[in-house]
Amino acid sequence: MFDHVQAFYQPQTIKEAVRLLHQRDAETCLLAGGTDLVLRTSRSVTALVDISQLGLSYIKRDAKALRIGASTTMAELERSTLIQCVANGILAEAAANCGGLQTRNLATLGGNLANGSPAADTAPPLLALDAEAVLADLRGKRRVPLTKFFSGPHQTAANHALLVEVVIPAAKPGTAFSCQRLARTERDLAVVSVAVALQLDRQQRCTFARIALGAVAPQPFRALAAEFMLAGQIVTRELMETVAAAAAAEARPITDLRGSAEYKRDISRILVRRALVECASRLECAL
Amino acid sequence: MNKTKQLKRPAKMEISLRINGELREWTVAPGDILLEVLRREGYFGVKRGCETGECGACTVLLDGRPVDSCMMFAAQANGRELVTVEGLAQREVLHPVQQALVEHGAVQCGFCTPGMALTAKALLATDPQPTEEQVRQALSGNLCRCTGYRKPVEAVLAVARHELPGHAESQPAKHAAVGQSVVRVDGAKLAAGRPAFTDDILVPGMLYGKILPSPHAHARIKRIDASKAKALPGVHAVLTYEDVPRVPHTTAGQAWPEPSPYDTYLLDSKVRFVGDRVAAVAAESRAIAEEALRLIKVEYEVLPAVLDMEGARNQGVAVIHDEPDATGIHDAKHNIAAIIRKELGDAEQGFGASDLVREREFRTQRQQHAMLEPHVTITWLDPDERLVIRSSTQIPFHVRRQVATILQLPVQRVRVVKPRIGGGFGGKQEMLLEDICAALTLATRRPVKIEYTRQEEFFMARSRHPQVLRMKMGFKKDGTLLASEMKVLASTGAYGSHSSTVQGNTGSKVLPLYRAPHMKFDCDIVYTNTPVAGAFRGYGCPQGFFAQETLVDEVAQELGMDPIELRLKNLIRKGDTDELSAQLGEGRKGLARLMRSCGIEACLERGAAAIGWAEKRSAPRDPASHLRRGVGVACAMQGSGIAGVDWASALIKLNEDGSFQLQTGCADVGAGADTVLSQIAAETLGVTVDKINICSGDTDFTPFDVGAYASSTTIISGGAVKKTAEKVRERVLELASRLMNISPEGLACRQNQIVAVNGSASLPMADLARHATYREKLQIMESASHFITDSPPPFCATFAEVEVDTETGKIRVVHLVAAVDAGVAVNPVLAEGQVEGAVTQGLGYALVEEMKLDENGRMINPSFLDYKILSAKDVPKLTTILVETEEPLGPYGAKSIGEVAINGPAPAIANALFHAVGIRVRKLPIGAEDVWWALRENEHKPTVRRAGATQ
């Protein structure tokens, strides 16, 4: 029970919300969907700032980018035909994995990212999509690439700011995406989750690649060395195997109740390779 | 006055919302969770199951969409529209979804039903024609521990298709009530979410009890200072071991004298596992009670903890039960709670004469019952100052006796009331909260409630015994079994509740499944400083069958025989006697079991056909694919009650309108006992089931019954009901004979009437009843008691088809078939529900469920986030086949059904895994990583034999 909460704020504007957050002491807590907040074992929270009234629940697309308001729920993402059609639907697929329907009807995209869980389901697809986070603070708004957003377990660039929007730049034409996930059960956190983007030219030479992993490092990350190995190369099964091994080598998994570090590393390799193969097959590339 | 930190009274705020169509304004604290507020306001259909957003029991519709009310602050609901289950039914008319859940047998304990109904309603509102996949996806946030989801999913699909349930298995002519899939007698109230469970009442002046759990696995309490806690405003009592009587007892809910050691105390100066009771408080709110726990200062002398069962008996290891007053412990100095040594024939001689002897070691884990309703008890003193215990228990009468003993009250001064139970599975065959809750009531003279949170449930309640089993079998070349031997080491945790009896079952219910002239069973049950084990559906058999059925499969493969053929060669048959059970009784000498009915052959035959055994065992595989399929089989048996120990009684009286009042001490745990017993009474009395009013499980108003355990309800309580109903029928016919001038032999009760057998006359039961009441001034009323000296086993053949990912090790179960001989199924749909629930629990046991402890004995996964029970999306296609036999000892030919099917999934899946990829995993659960390791080890072996191939 949150018996120490003395105040429940419902700011109506981003400015007001930012001001409340700026004034806050350590025990003022931002409340989005609440599904992670309620699980916090430390229940010393004294004030809640509910950001549901800021008009941040939207999915918009223009020529350059897709913009998703931070209060958009996981259920809205998975049901959105727009999100289902973008990037082979990997973001919709990831959103559908965020707990049961009851949780997904509350949990928000902003919350999933700002909570900073290493296993955040939406992080790998968004990393593979070169997404950026729009943060607001007293000085105004700024954009932070998602690669710079996560800094450690439950540590993000949004620590002293409000995450208001996620911007996904329009993907280069002819890019295929895939996400892969292994979990103990259908409703468990991932042991490993992976998202991959791949673009090939007519010679099956890789012109663009993104490989993102979740749950196998202190934060979701892109396997840059593995991506680099793909750049400009003709894609073969062997190359994908090598790249997948390289991506796994970049992981820093820990042993926990979902698996040993050794296992998670190997699963990283397998899932990265499967994602690459699936992208290739979506590009109708014969391996 | 003592200066004590007082809880800051939180600010209050007003919220207004529309709930079930009505505008409401509530004053809440800004930190109040919506679930708490809803229950406080009397919306008891919103259930508390986990408080971590995993189980969905607290589901409400927020602006039409299902959400977990445990995940929301009440303030967030301001200005929104809420629907709870109370808003679904229109007065007494259920919503079509609720109606379908009831009619399809999708309601068992009913604790998850309100949430499930709301989710299904929301799904059908947005998607009126969902696929099965979509229904499973939608329901996957509503955990159910009883049904295995098959019937709930069917119910939702049927609503979408506007179908009525068709019960093909109902028997047309044989009986009027027995054998019919009548709708459960309590289905409507459960689906409507009416306040039927222990916590669904507001008792004026009630205090909240909380137990301080031990942070150490093993420690002595050197000093305990409760003064600050006692001084906290709102605290009414703090109890430590210094304040309560010290009466050695067992918490096991077993018939007196319990075969479990008396090694437990209400509170003690020593703690023996992380979660053991240190102190208890009663306060005016949960928050104050929690704060009071933090203010109790305890100085511990931390002792070395015994965590490893294999080292527990060694010299020099800490002694867990060094108290002088415990009794019934086999060897306390060596931490041995009990030992079992039994032998039939001469096993060594049998192995000597065998052509093939195989011995393997198996390891099984701690599993928890995870019933959706955690343990909860409310106690108070009634106006006569008698202690009333309202509790979610499977054993009202044992609780009455145990609490009276522990608190040193006459049994006469204690009344135990069992409302609806939100699942038990053996976890509530334990006196777990009632004693301490009652002690707080006696100390404060106020009503007190204690309920476990999900986390407390994991830390403090019971679990399945982990075991290390060495299984050895000797066969002749032709597959004839000569000798089988099982050596078991089991951990009972810190206390010996159910220790010797669960493990006794591991031998006595498992080994005799196969005829062998020589059988040997050795077992040591040791204490460790780990969570306490206890009774759990299967009661020692899942461990034993995992070992035996996996080893039999291995031998079949080595002998080049089909695993079914090898089993058929050795299985016990009708007319055989299980002599091992005579040696292994309920902690004492038992009784031999004569097989008067046995349908195991038919179970194997029909199960094999359902899974497609012949084709799938020899199906060619694609060597290029990383996915490999395999099929496996396992057999099992159980018992029906504890022979010569379990007994029950019933009381039936005729009401003036021709209906009957049936009083039984039996405790419906959600399995449908109230319905089955009503059917047996209705059948015997020749009335329709709706003419039976059942009242069960109240020690003041119902006659004695040992309780709902050991698969005893249908055969023992049902036997008592049948006997009682026969006596009542005799009285009815006597009177009718006088009124109708026909001899009683020429009369029968049928369709709510007394009819002449020759068809010449009839008298409505209602007329007879009115006549008896007002003319004869006669209450027709009888009671009877019942026990049997045998325990007829139900049989089960389980088939699993799996698909193994050879890269990740992930096992996907494609299809599970359970063919069960339970005698005559009194209610086929309810019987199927028992099988499907047991199979699903067995599937979780096989693949994922495990309570994991750290190096200090502290559980590291005490929530549904980390301890996974299966959701609707995880459960594969389930096929249930009821193979009917006639059991002469059971009422109308019935045997038991509640447990037997839990034994099959683990060995069947292990065997299917071998068939798929040629590896044996001899530990549970078989996680993807276990398979991954085993596959890697296998890669380094020179040749991999193609699994299941005949030579």
Side-chain angles (χ1 to χ4, degrees), chain B residues 582-902:
Chain B
Q583 296 208 15
L584 277 167
E586 174 88 327
R588 50 186 86 99
K589 206 166 158 47
L591 295 156
R593 298 203 290 176
L594 172 62
M595 304 296 129
R596 295 172 181 84
S597 63
C598 177
I600 186 66
E601 277 180 73
C603 290
L604 277 168
E605 192 184 316
R606 292 179 60 187
I611 200 93
W613 180 261
E615 314 88 84
K616 284 175 182 158
R617 285 296 283 192
S618 51
R621 303 145 198 232
D622 172 8
S625 171
H626 65 276
L627 298 174
R628 297 283 168 83
R629 288 211 174 192
V631 285
V633 62
C635 291
M637 65 177 178
Q638 199 84 32
S640 301
I642 307 164
V645 174
D646 280 348
W647 76 279
S649 56
L651 187 152
I652 297 177
K653 57 179 184 172
L654 175 63
N655 293 324
E656 65 180 83
D657 63 351
S659 66
F660 293 88
Q661 209 64 33
L662 165 59
Q663 329 264 88
T664 157
C666 170
D668 191 333
V669 283
D674 285 355
T675 307
V676 164
L677 298 183
S678 296
Q679 283 178 267
I680 290 171
E683 181 68 43
T684 314
L685 291 164
V687 296
T688 44
V689 176
D690 62 311
K691 297 291 179 197
I692 307 292
N693 282 349
I694 185 161
C695 162
S696 61
D698 181 326
T699 59
D700 269 15
F701 295 109
T702 63
F704 188 89
D705 189 301
V706 289
Y709 58 85
S711 286
S712 65
T713 295
T714 301
I715 199 157
I716 307 285
S717 307
V721 168
K722 180 162 183 268
K723 228 184 228 181
T724 308
E726 281 163 357
K727 287 168 79 177
V728 171
R729 186 180 61 197
E730 208 172 297
R731 301 283 306 280
V732 165
L733 293 183
E734 269 169 32
L735 177 58
S737 161
R738 278 197 277 131
L739 295 174
M740 298 166 78
N741 267 326
I742 303 173
S743 77
E745 296 75 41
L747 293 172
C749 296
R750 206 175 284 158
Q751 292 168 329
N752 301 326
Q753 301 189 84
I754 298 96
V755 297
V757 178
N758 63 15
S760 62
S762 71
L763 172 69
M765 190 70 83
D767 291 359
L768 176 127
R770 195 178 307 109
H771 180 87
T773 309
Y774 294 110
R775 300 261 182 251
E776 304 272 336
K777 301 179 176 50
L778 170 72
Q779 173 66 68
I780 292 182
M781 174 167 69
E782 290 293 341
S783 70
S785 304
H786 184 65
F787 74 97
I788 52 175
T789 53
D790 206 325
S791 178
F795 293 91
C796 179
T798 306
F799 291 81
E801 182 178 7
V802 301
E803 183 179 80
V804 183
D805 183 329
T806 55
E807 290 185 321
T808 64
K810 179 95 175 167
I811 298 175
R812 184 172 76 87
V813 178
V814 180
H815 190 189
L816 273 172
V817 176
V820 183
D821 156 28
V824 171
V826 176
N827 186 318
V829 165
L830 291 188
E832 282 175 12
Q834 284 304 293
V835 174
E836 285 153 17
V839 163
T840 302
Q841 253 172 359
L843 179 61
Y845 184 58
L847 296 181
V848 315
E849 290 185 41
E850 181 173 18
M851 297 168 71
K852 294 192 178 192
L853 309 183
D854 69 10
E855 67 281 3
N856 298 313
R858 187 183 172 81
M859 188 181 173
I860 57 169
N861 55 340
S863 78
F864 286 154
L865 296 164
D866 292 331
Y867 182 101
K868 299 314 280 187
I869 65 172
L870 301 181
S871 74
K873 264 195 100 177
D874 296 299
V875 178
K877 177 181 173 191
L878 301 180
T879 301
T880 306
I881 299 166
L882 299 177
V883 170
E884 188 170 299
T885 59
E886 272 290 322
E887 172 53 48
L889 295 184
Y892 298 102
K895 293 191 278 193
S896 77
I897 188 89
E899 296 183 88
V900 68
I902 200 171

Side-chain angles (χ1 to χ4, degrees), chain B residues 923-936:
Chain B
K923 56 125 340 213
L924 294 177
I926 307 174
E929 183 170 350
D930 297 307
V931 176
W932 178 82
W933 282 110
L935 284 165
R936 281 157 62 105

Side-chain angles (χ1 to χ4, degrees), chain B residues 17 30 56 66 156 173 262 307 356 431 514 565 678 799 824 838 885:
Chain B
L17 67 165
V156 176
Y262 284 10
L307 300 178
L356 177 72
M431 193 277 311
Y514 299 109
E565 186 194 341
S678 296
F799 291 81
V824 171
T885 59

Side-chain angles (χ1 to χ4, degrees), chain A residues 18-60:
Chain A
V18 164
R19 213 168 34 236
L20 279 165
L21 285 175
H22 186 71
Q23 291 163 354
R24 71 176 169 176
D25 54 40
E27 304 297 354
T28 298
C29 214
L30 193 145
L31 170 63
T35 54
D36 284 315
L37 170 61
V38 168
L39 295 179
R40 286 189 10 173
T41 43
S42 155
R43 296 200 158 185
S44 50
V45 179
T46 56
L48 292 165
V49 180
D50 176 4
I51 55 163
S52 64
Q53 309 294 307
L54 305 181
L56 296 179
S57 177
Y58 56 82
I59 301 167
K60 293 178 197 162

